[in-house]
Amino acid sequence: MSTKRVAVRFSAEGGDQVRAAFEGMGESGEREMRRISASVEMASRRLDSIGRQMQVVGGAITAAGAAAALAIRSQINAADDMGKAAQRLGVPVEALSQLRYAAELSGVSVGSLDTAIQRLSRQMVDGADKFAALGVQVRGADGELRGTVDVIADVADVLAEMPDGAEKTALMISLMGRSAADLIPLLNQGGGAMREAAAEADRLGITISDAMFRASERTNDAITRMQAAMTGLTTQIVSEMAPMIADLAEWVSELVQNFAALEPETQRVIAT
């Protein structure tokens, strides 16, 4: 009897009938039955193993998906926050994201950098003579104020040539406020290093464009609206159900009180 014919017969008839048929074939039939049983058992073990592996793979895929979703939301928030910070500071979001990267490489905190940018922006309007004394122009050929980040780079070129000391620190503070002292590691590298960091940020894909900020802002706003809608829906459902829940609570309370007022024997009968 071929293996194919045995497999067909095994699947077509009940297990007991097949076993009886093999036993009727004598010793060769019993050997065939044992071989098939062993094959079935091995197949079962393999299926169990595959099932366990699939569970592991499924868990890994789920974890990877959750991590990816978290990373995406984190990037959306970062782009949104960067864009809003750029609006507050009055600088392009691309330039701010690049300058913050340069500051990070120099160990300068975001807070110190942002404060210095704000102070320098005001000085560009109210203290243009201070920049002129350094040979730094705050206005372009068209008479319009230059970009704050470009002016910072020019100031850094000047400061990088000055020796560290009280005079240099005083000059920095007069242009950028007290937080400027924290920017010394960044400014001492000169404007060239800032421009190189900006180019590197582009190559790494971490420069946040205005389009990216706008898209992230819309996404976050949509998520906020969705969350508000879900909260409103929950509030409405609870509001509609509140009277029913109150009636149910009163009914249960009354039922418990009535049960407690019964004779002990009656309580036992009801309980059983």
Side-chain angles (χ1 to χ4, degrees), residues 194-261:
M194 292 184 186
R195 298 182 188 96
E196 290 176 6
E200 184 173 272
D202 282 341
R203 292 195 300 272
L204 294 175
I206 59 177
T207 297
I208 296 177
S209 66
D210 186 68
M212 185 186 301
F213 160 55
R214 298 300 177 186
S216 299
E217 185 179 40
R218 288 194 301 271
T219 301
N220 262 347
D221 289 347
I223 292 174
T224 299
R225 292 190 185 96
M226 181 181 67
Q227 292 173 336
M230 293 302 297
T231 300
L233 178 60
T234 302
T235 301
Q236 293 176 34
I237 292 174
V238 171
S239 177
E240 291 296 328
M241 293 182 62
M244 292 184 291
I245 295 173
D247 291 342
L248 178 61
E250 291 177 2
W251 180 79
V252 171
S253 177
E254 184 178 350
L255 181 64
V256 171
Q257 293 177 29
N258 291 338
F259 182 80

Side-chain angles (χ1 to χ4, degrees), residues 21-58:
F22 277 119
E23 290 177 351
M25 294 169 60
E27 185 177 348
S28 62
E30 291 179 359
R31 285 198 303 272
E32 187 69 13
M33 187 63 198
R34 286 195 296 272
R35 186 185 67 79
I36 292 175
S37 297
S39 298
V40 171
E41 184 178 355
M42 181 179 294
S44 178
R45 288 198 298 269
R46 288 180 178 175
L47 287 174
D48 288 343
S49 176
I50 292 173
R52 289 192 295 271
Q53 291 173 0
M54 290 303 295
Q55 288 179 342
V56 172
V57 171

Side-chain angles (χ1 to χ4, degrees), residues 8-251:
V8 171
R9 186 173 180 181
F10 191 89
S11 62
E13 301 180 9
D16 293 338
Q17 292 174 319
V18 174
R19 182 182 298 277
F22 277 119
E23 290 177 351
M25 294 169 60
E27 185 177 348
S28 62
E30 291 179 359
R31 285 198 303 272
E32 187 69 13
M33 187 63 198
R34 286 195 296 272
R35 186 185 67 79
I36 292 175
S37 297
S39 298
V40 171
E41 184 178 355
M42 181 179 294
S44 178
R45 288 198 298 269
R46 288 180 178 175
L47 287 174
D48 288 343
S49 176
I50 292 173
R52 289 192 295 271
Q53 291 173 0
M54 290 303 295
Q55 288 179 342
V56 172
V57 171
I61 291 175
T62 300
L70 183 61
I72 291 172
R73 185 64 197 279
S74 176
Q75 184 57 36
I76 289 173
N77 288 337
D80 192 12
D81 292 343
M82 185 75 73
K84 287 180 169 57
Q87 290 177 337
R88 290 193 300 270
L89 297 172
V91 298
V93 64
E94 295 94 339
L96 180 61
S97 64
Q98 293 167 348
L99 187 55
R100 280 187 174 183
Y101 177 63
E104 182 180 356
L105 293 177
S106 303
V108 175
S109 71
V110 169
S112 295
L113 177 66
D114 289 358
T115 301
I117 290 175
Q118 287 179 320
R119 178 62 184 268
L120 184 136
S121 295
R122 289 196 295 270
Q123 287 298 315
M124 286 173 60
V125 176
D126 300 332
D129 56 321
K130 297 179 182 179
F131 295 92
L134 298 175
V136 175
Q137 300 298 320
V138 297
R139 294 185 181 275
D142 57 359
E144 297 293 329
L145 283 173
R146 298 174 60 208
T148 303
V149 176
D150 293 332
V151 173
I152 290 177
D154 289 349
V155 170
D157 284 332
V158 175
L159 294 174
E161 299 298 323
M162 296 177 63
D164 291 335
E167 181 181 357
K168 180 176 182 177
T169 300
L171 176 60
M172 292 173 61
I173 291 176
S174 71
L175 295 175
M176 305 180 196
R178 295 189 178 280
S179 63
D182 298 332
L183 270 63
I184 289 177
L186 173 64
L187 299 176
N188 272 350
Q189 298 179 55
M194 292 184 186
R195 298 182 188 96
E196 290 176 6
E200 184 173 272
D202 282 341
R203 292 195 300 272
L204 294 175
I206 59 177
T207 297
I208 296 177
S209 66
D210 186 68
M212 185 186 301
F213 160 55
R214 298 300 177 186
S216 299
E217 185 179 40
R218 288 194 301 271
T219 301
N220 262 347
D221 289 347
I223 292 174
T224 299
R225 292 190 185 96
M226 181 181 67
Q227 292 173 336
M230 293 302 297
T231 300
L233 178 60
T234 302
T235 301
Q236 293 176 34
I237 292 174
V238 171
S239 177
E240 291 296 328
M241 293 182 62
M244 292 184 291
I245 295 173
D247 291 342
L248 178 61
E250 291 177 2
W251 180 79

